[in-house]
């Protein structure tokens, strides 16, 4: 057993984090361009995605590196405002050309493209029209999807509608710590969420209409709640916590962001939903479930870490601190390999769809050593442990379609700018030189062996 024979070993990136060429060939700004530049910038060190990894001009070199890495699939996102500078309406042919060239290069190298339609870089022109609060926003996304499906659907079969709505809605419009940096009321958030779900549903319908044999999924995220011990009580407590909404941190949960899409209903029995959220949803919101809940081929999840939970005396979930000295990645995220075991297991039990790990990885303090190489034993060890946990879940019957390591290249890590390095390939931003890290070779051998010796 272990990993399926057709397991999709891959790497992921997103448009704004790597492409650069922000003002070139007809692309118009996204909310991230705006956020990086307005009021002197909101990003660490004043960094912006203007140039990023210059992937727009270096995509051939990057695809060649992917070939050497031996990946089966490459997950990347499209810049909506490169394709539709006004967000809707006229198509920018140069944007289409760029992605056509990239897709063709991938296929020539035997790499299956997996397109994420939207990875946070919302067209600024549509932000000015109210973005996800505008009742037309679902149709804008459906129209963009149609342009994409018609242009690339003859060669691209794998699609992900939205990446991490928790982040682009929750952090972008509620916490205000991601672009566009807004702080809306809970009432507005409920409407945005609902419009975002409609956008997802209409997008899936559109893909199915124009792309034969499409494989469509969705890629939310959430820290995993893991049991402290393997006792039945702790497992039940962790699972209960994972599948509920914490009112104090309502944007970070699984069910609110996935139940409508997969199960065709909001988590009606959840106290936060019932008492604080439902009242703001549009009247007769249930009627929209026919659009929102479309059959999916896989359920994606970005998983980086988890927290420990145990059952208290009454059997209720109780948070437990990680052991003192528990390892952390360079940006302070806890190293918790079992997240890649419990996450897929709990999610599969609830949603019964094949699971795709759409992101997993870590930031390290990578540097070029005197020997000219980048030695990153921590990345190898981290990924090894996480993949072992994922394999354990697969061995126990969780249907896992693939794993996309985040990321191919060091890149623009949103609010942290270029200060965090997540790549299997080091990028020297002054010269744009790419240097394969030790983990690059290690991951290649894992792929070659289909994870057999992990
Ligand atoms: C995820 C994002 C991705 C990347 C990783 C580190 O939340 O989807 O773009 O920034 O974190």
């Amino acid at each position: 057993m272990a990993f399926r024979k057709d397991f999709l070993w891959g790497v992921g990136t997103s448009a704004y984090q790597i492409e650069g060429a922000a003002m070139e060939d007809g692309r118009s700004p996204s909310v991230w361009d705006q956020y990086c530049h307005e009021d002197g910038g909101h990003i660490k060190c004043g960094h912006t995605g203007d140039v990023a990894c210059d992937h727009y001009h270096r995509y051939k070199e990057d695809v060649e590196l992917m070939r050497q890495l031996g990946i089966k699939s490459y997950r990347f996102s499209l810049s909506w405002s490169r394709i539709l500078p006004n967000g809707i309406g006229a198509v920018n042919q140069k944007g289409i050309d760029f992605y056509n060239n990239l897709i063709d290069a991938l296929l020539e190298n035997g790499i299956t493209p997996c397109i994420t339609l939207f990875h946070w870089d919302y067209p600024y022109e549509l932000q000015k029209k109210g973005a996800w609060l505008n009742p037309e926003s679902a149709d804008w996304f459906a129209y963009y999807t149609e342009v994409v499906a018609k242009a690339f659907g003859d060669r691209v079969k794998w699609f992900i509608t939205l990446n991490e709505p928790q982040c682009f809605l929750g952090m972008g419009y509620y916490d205000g710590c991601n672009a566009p940096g807004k702080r809306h009321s809970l009432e507005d958030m409920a409407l945005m969420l609902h419009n975002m779900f409609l956008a997802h549903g209409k997008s899936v319908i559109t893909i199915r209409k124009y792309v034969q044999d499409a494989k469509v999924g969705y890629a939310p995220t959430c820290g995993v709640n893991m049991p402290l011990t393997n006792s039945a009580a702790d497992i039940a407590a962790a699972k209960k916590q994972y599948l509920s909404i914490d009112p104090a941190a309502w944007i970070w949960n699984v069910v609110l962001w996935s139940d409508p899409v997969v199960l065709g209903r909001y988590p009606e029995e959840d106290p936060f939903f019932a008492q604080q959220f439902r009242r703001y949803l549009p009247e007769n919101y249930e009627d929209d479930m026919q659009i929102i809940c479309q059959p999916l081929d896989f359920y994606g999840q970005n998983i980086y870490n988890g927290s420990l939970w145990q059952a208290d005396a009454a059997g209720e979930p109780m948070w437990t601190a990680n052991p003192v000295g528990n390892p952390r990645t360079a940006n302070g995220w806890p190293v918790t390999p079992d997240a890649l075991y419990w996450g897929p297991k709990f999610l599969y039990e609830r949603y019964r769809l094949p699971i795709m790990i759409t992101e997993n990885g870590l930031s390290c303090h990578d540097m070029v050593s005197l020997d000219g190489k980048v030695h990153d034993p921590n990345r190898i060890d981290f990924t090894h442990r996480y993949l072992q946990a994922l394999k354990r879940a697969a061995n126990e019957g969780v249907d896992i379609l693939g794993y996309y390591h985040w990321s191919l290249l060091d890149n623009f890590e949103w609010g942290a700018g270029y200060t965090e390095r997540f790549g299997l390939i080091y990028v020297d931003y002054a010269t744009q030189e790419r240097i394969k890290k030790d983990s690059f070779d290690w991951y290649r051998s894992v792929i070659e062996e289909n994870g057999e010796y992990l």
Side-chain angles (χ1 to χ4, degrees):
M1 272 263 302
F3 295 114
R4 310 158 52 117
K5 288 223 153 43
D6 57 355
F7 194 80
L8 285 177
W9 292 101
V11 290
T13 64
S14 88
Y16 191 68
Q17 294 181 274
I18 66 165
E19 283 181 7
M23 269 80 82
E24 258 175 76
D25 289 346
R27 180 184 178 276
S28 78
S30 71
V31 293
W32 273 95
D33 298 80
Q34 174 73 10
Y35 190 66
C36 289
H37 286 281
E38 74 182 2
D39 306 333
H42 300 283
I43 311 298
K44 221 172 180 177
C45 309
H47 292 167
T48 75
D50 290 358
V51 178
C53 307
D54 197 30
H55 173 74
Y56 188 75
H57 298 113
R58 293 166 198 265
Y59 72 90
K60 282 192 185 142
E61 177 185 351
D62 293 338
V63 173
E64 167 55 19
L65 287 163
M66 292 182 222
R67 187 193 65 74
Q68 292 174 24
L69 184 55
I71 52 169
K72 311 284 181 215
S73 179
Y74 174 48
R75 174 184 179 224
F76 60 103
S77 78
L78 309 180
S79 158
W80 183 344
S81 62
R82 196 185 284 293
I83 292 175
L84 294 166
N86 292 314
I88 44 176
V91 175
N92 176 28
Q93 188 55 42
K94 291 207 167 138
I96 299 282
D97 292 346
F98 167 66
Y99 293 114
N100 266 332
N101 292 338
L102 171 62
I103 290 162
D104 290 344
L106 290 168
L107 292 172
E108 277 160 26
N109 286 284
I111 299 166
T112 301
C114 174
I115 285 183
T116 305
L117 281 153
F118 178 65
H119 197 127
W120 304 9
D121 45 354
Y122 201 76
Y124 187 60
E125 288 303 315
L126 296 182
Q127 172 60 33
K128 289 196 261 179
K129 296 188 159 108
W132 303 98
L133 254 188
N134 190 314
E136 287 175 43
S137 56
D139 290 326
W140 298 338
F141 191 61
Y143 171 72
Y144 161 56
T145 304
E146 182 178 330
V147 170
V148 168
K150 284 180 173 165
F152 311 126
D154 56 334
R155 287 152 296 150
V156 178
K157 302 298 167 190
W158 292 80
F159 289 89
I160 292 166
T161 54
L162 302 163
N163 180 74
E164 296 189 349
Q166 288 97 336
C167 298
F168 70 77
L169 286 186
M171 294 169 80
Y173 294 89
Y174 190 74
D175 284 352
C177 56
N178 262 356
K182 308 280 186 211
R183 285 169 177 269
H184 281 262
S185 62
L186 195 59
E187 182 172 354
D188 283 354
M189 294 310 296
L191 296 174
M192 283 191 224
L193 234 77
H194 197 71
N195 287 335
M196 178 275 293
F197 286 136
L198 283 167
H200 162 85
K202 290 186 177 190
S203 177
V204 179
I205 293 169
T206 307
I207 295 169
R208 300 250 186 251
K209 181 166 169 196
Y210 293 105
V211 184
Q212 264 183 6
D213 306 322
K215 305 272 187 211
V216 191
Y218 169 62
T221 187
C222 194
V224 177
N225 298 131
M226 312 178 298
L228 179 66
T229 73
N230 277 336
S231 73
D234 282 358
I235 293 173
K239 185 171 169 184
K240 181 171 181 191
Q241 183 65 27
Y242 193 38
L243 301 177
S244 64
I245 307 173
D246 177 355
W250 73 269
I251 66 173
W252 298 112
N253 71 84
V254 170
V255 292
L256 180 60
W257 304 90
S258 294
D259 280 11
V261 164
V262 188
L263 304 179
R265 56 174 178 76
Y266 279 97
E268 301 283 347
E269 63 291 346
D270 185 272
F272 172 82
F273 179 81
Q275 290 156 25
Q276 299 188 50
F277 203 82
R278 181 167 44 209
R279 71 179 90 149
Y280 299 128
L281 286 170
E283 230 177 289
N284 302 326
Y285 64 87
E286 295 97 335
D287 296 349
D288 290 334
M289 288 301 160
Q290 280 182 333
I291 296 175
I292 292 170
C293 178
Q294 294 299 314
L296 293 179
D297 299 285
F298 62 93
Y299 176 68
Q301 190 81 2
N302 297 350
I303 296 182
Y304 287 90
N305 49 62
S307 55
L308 291 172
W309 293 75
Q310 60 180 314
D312 68 10
E316 289 302 310
M318 185 169 81
W319 177 78
T320 313
N322 279 324
V324 174
N326 193 71
R328 290 184 167 270
T329 66
N331 66 349
W333 292 354
V335 177
T336 56
D338 281 351
L340 225 42
Y341 170 76
W342 291 110
K345 213 174 157 69
F346 289 156
L347 295 170
Y348 190 59
E349 280 168 17
R350 186 167 184 91
Y351 297 125
R352 306 310 305 173
L353 278 174
I355 303 278
M356 183 83 88
I357 303 303
T358 34
E359 284 180 26
N360 169 251
L362 76 163
S363 155
C364 289
H365 292 298
D366 298 315
M367 54 178 132
V368 183
S369 294
L370 280 174
D371 62 3
K373 297 186 172 161
V374 180
H375 304 293
D376 58 344
N378 289 342
R379 182 168 287 101
I380 294 174
D381 190 73
F382 174 104
T383 312
H384 195 154
R385 289 173 192 267
Y386 274 68
L387 284 174
Q388 281 179 337
L390 185 66
K391 190 172 174 180
R392 203 149 51 89
N395 277 334
E396 291 178 18
V398 180
D399 188 5
I400 298 165
L401 287 190
Y403 168 91
Y404 291 93
H405 191 81
W406 185 272
S407 179
L408 174 71
L409 303 163
D410 294 339
N411 59 44
F412 176 79
E413 178 48 26
W414 308 114
Y418 300 97
T419 64
E420 302 293 346
R421 294 185 177 274
F422 274 86
L424 297 170
I425 298 169
Y426 182 94
V427 176
D428 178 336
Y429 294 107
T431 62
Q432 291 294 347
E433 187 191 353
R434 275 82 163 127
I435 303 173
K436 295 175 230 168
K437 303 180 190 175
D438 288 354
S439 57
F440 180 101
D441 292 318
W442 177 83
Y443 190 47
R444 190 195 52 225
S445 65
V446 171
I447 297 172
E448 263 166 25
E449 296 153 356
N450 199 35
E452 186 131 341
Y453 303 112
L454 283 166

